[in-house]
Every structure is written in C-alpha cells, then in structure tokens.
Amino acid sequence: LVNEIGSDIGKASQIEHNELSKLTAASKSDYSMRVNELDLKGYSEQGVSVANKSSIAFIFEYEAKTLLFLGDAVSSQIVSALSNLGYSKENPLKLDCCKISHHGSSHNTSLELLELLDCENYIISSNWTHNRPSKTCLSRIVVSNIYKPVNLYFNYKYKDIFTIEEKQQYNITLNVIGDSGIDL
C-alpha cells in the first residue's frame, strides 16, 4: 500500500508554508445536522494539501489481526491502492480496526473507500478542534456499515453529536480509548 501511494511524497516539499496554511483551514461545524441531512455522497478532495496527500498509509497484520492506518491520506489514493491489491465492494478488505484519515475530516474519507472495507471498529484521532472529526465523515462510516454495528473509538473525550435515535438506528457505539487500549 505504501508503494502504491508514495508517488506524491516529493511534491510536498514544493509547496511553501503560506500556501500550505491556506489549504488546511477548518470548515464550519456540521454537528447539529442529522445523518440523513448531510451530503454523504458529495465527497471532494479539493483543498486537501499536498502534504496530507503525501501521508503514509499502511495495512498492519499481527497475530491474526488486521488494521488499516490511513494517516492523513485521501480516499482516491487509498481506493486506487486497494483496488490494485484486488479489493472491491464484492471483495472488501477484512479489518479488525481502521484508523480514519486526517482526524475525521470530511475531505479525506469517502463512501467509495468505506465500501472497500469490511470493518466495525474505527479509531478517530482528534481533540475536536477545527470541527474534526466532522459528523459528515463519521456518518459516512455508519451509513457504509448499515447492516453491522459500528464502534467509534476516540483518543479524547468525544462530543455526543449523534442523537439517541441515530445511535439506535445505525447501531453506533462511542468509546474513549483508555489506558488499556482497545480490546479487539
């Protein structure tokens, strides 16, 4: 997977700091919207910096566990890499856990990518600044797992942005990663 997306790494050094800062500005919060009100298919990588597109993503396998770490990568690169490895909607990558890209930004995780994954456990590394994770990103995760439970793990105390009805309808469990980690 690393070799598949590594071609953009050299481009990151070509962007000056000022340009990079303009591309990393946070978007407006979508926390008050309901899952069915969000534009989950309207995915766009526009505005994602080359530095983030150059992030390293990898599949980690250890003792019969498979995890996908997406760093800050964008979906198009991961979809391409997974497709080249033979994964598809009909043959998804079976995972015990997936660390979601770029703190749960809506610009880094598409439904197309999530449909290539067979996973119930997702880690979101974010301290809830800059409106990340976005409810749009988290909603894409739960909608793509409509027939399975979804366990969202956060490294900081989470904001309960899903209504009770949404948690029941989509079978969402929210968790904070404690000192003992995650038991998969």
Side-chain angles (χ1 to χ4, degrees), residues 1 4 7 14 37 41 115 120 151 154 165-166 177:
L1 187 61
E4 292 291 332
S7 63
Q14 298 172 6
E37 297 172 328
K41 294 182 180 177
E115 290 171 346
E120 294 179 8
N151 302 302
F154 301 93
E165 294 80 18
E166 288 172 325
I177 301 170

Side-chain angles (χ1 to χ4, degrees), residues 60-167:
F60 180 78
E61 295 178 348
Y62 181 73
E63 293 188 0
K65 299 288 183 192
T66 305
L67 296 89
L68 177 62
F69 291 87
L70 295 174
D72 285 345
V74 290
S75 284
S76 62
Q77 293 170 318
I78 304 302
V79 166
S80 176
L82 291 175
S83 297
N84 288 342
L85 293 171
Y87 297 106
S88 65
K89 282 173 99 171
E90 296 75 29
N91 180 37
L93 173 61
K94 293 180 184 0
L95 297 168
D96 294 288
C97 192
C98 175
K99 187 276 182 190
I100 290 297
S101 182
H102 198 83
H103 314 291
S105 168
S106 64
H107 300 291
N108 293 70
T109 303
S110 68
L111 280 174
E112 182 183 16
L113 168 61
L114 294 166
E115 290 171 346
L116 297 180
L117 309 179
D118 180 0
C119 184
E120 294 179 8
N121 301 300
Y122 296 87
I123 297 173
I124 296 88
S125 174
S126 178
N127 63 0
W128 296 87
T129 57
H130 307 293
N131 300 314
R132 290 196 184 114
S134 71
K135 188 167 183 179
T136 300
C137 176
L138 300 180
S139 296
R140 286 180 183 139
I141 294 168
V142 300
V143 167
S144 70
N145 282 289
I146 196 72
Y147 301 110
K148 296 184 281 187
V150 175
N151 302 302
L152 300 174
Y153 294 91
F154 301 93
N155 63 325
Y156 280 84
K157 181 165 176 27
Y158 58 84
K159 293 182 182 183
D160 202 355
I161 60 175
F162 292 102
T163 65
I164 292 169
E165 294 80 18
E166 288 172 325
K167 286 189 270 187

